[in-house]
Amino acid sequence: MILGMTTSTFTLLHVLISLAGIGSGFIVVFGWLAGRRLGAWNAIFLFTTVLTSATGFLFPIKEITPGIKVGVISLVLLALAILARYAFQLAGSWGRTYVVTAAMALYLNCFVGVVQAFEKVPALKALAPTQKEPPFLFAQLILLAIFVALTIVAAKRFSKVGPVAAERDSRRAA
C-alpha cells in the first residue's frame, strides 16, 4: 500500500500524472516555439512534473536506482525553472534559464517514458531486453536530438517575447 492505495493503483496514478506532465510540457514547448509563454499551461506543466518526480520517491525503495537519480536531477531542474519563472519573473537571462531547465525536465520525463516502454511493451522488450541494444540506444539518441533542437529554437524564440506580449499571452492562456 502506498498512500492508502494498492501498488498497482498508485502506479496507475503515477503514470497518469507523468502523462499529464509530458502532454502539458509539449503544449508549453510548442507555445515557446510560437513565441508565446502560456502562463496557465506552464503552471500545469511544472506542477504535474514536480508531482511525477515526487510520487516516484514513494515507491518502495531498497537501493539508489537510475530512476531515483533521474528524479533528483529532475527536481533540481524544476526548482531552477520555478525560481526563474516565479521568483525572477523570467527577467533577463532567467527567461532562457527557464526554457532550458523546464525543457530538460520534460526530456527526463520522456527519457523515463522510453525506458518504461522498452521494459513494458513486449515488442520493444524483444528488441532490447537489456536496454543496451542498438534499438534502445537509437530511440534515446533520437529523443535527445529532438530535445536539443527544440530547446535551442525555443530558447531563441522565447527570449524575443517582450513583457507586454508575455503578459497578454498569460492572460489569454489563463
Side-chain angles (χ1 to χ4, degrees), residues 5-109:
M5 293 176 252
T6 64
T7 301
S8 61
T9 301
F10 182 77
T11 300
L12 176 62
L13 177 64
H14 174 74
V15 168
L16 291 173
I17 292 167
S18 299
L19 292 173
I22 290 170
S24 61
F26 277 110
I27 290 170
V28 167
V29 168
F30 289 118
W32 296 338
L33 294 174
R36 299 187 64 210
R37 294 191 178 177
L38 305 177
W41 281 107
N42 281 277
I44 293 166
F45 162 65
L46 291 170
F47 177 75
T48 55
T49 306
V50 166
L51 201 54
T52 295
S53 293
T55 58
F57 292 111
L58 297 177
F59 287 97
I61 300 169
K62 295 180 180 158
E63 60 185 36
I64 301 297
T65 64
I68 296 297
K69 292 175 186 177
V70 168
V72 169
I73 293 167
S74 181
L75 286 173
V76 169
L77 291 168
L78 289 162
L80 282 169
I82 290 167
L83 281 172
R85 174 67 183 92
Y86 296 105
F88 298 108
Q89 301 293 308
L90 307 171
S93 64
W94 286 104
R96 282 194 177 168
T97 299
Y98 174 68
V99 169
V100 170
T101 56
M104 289 172 68
L106 177 58
Y107 163 74
L108 290 175
N109 259 359

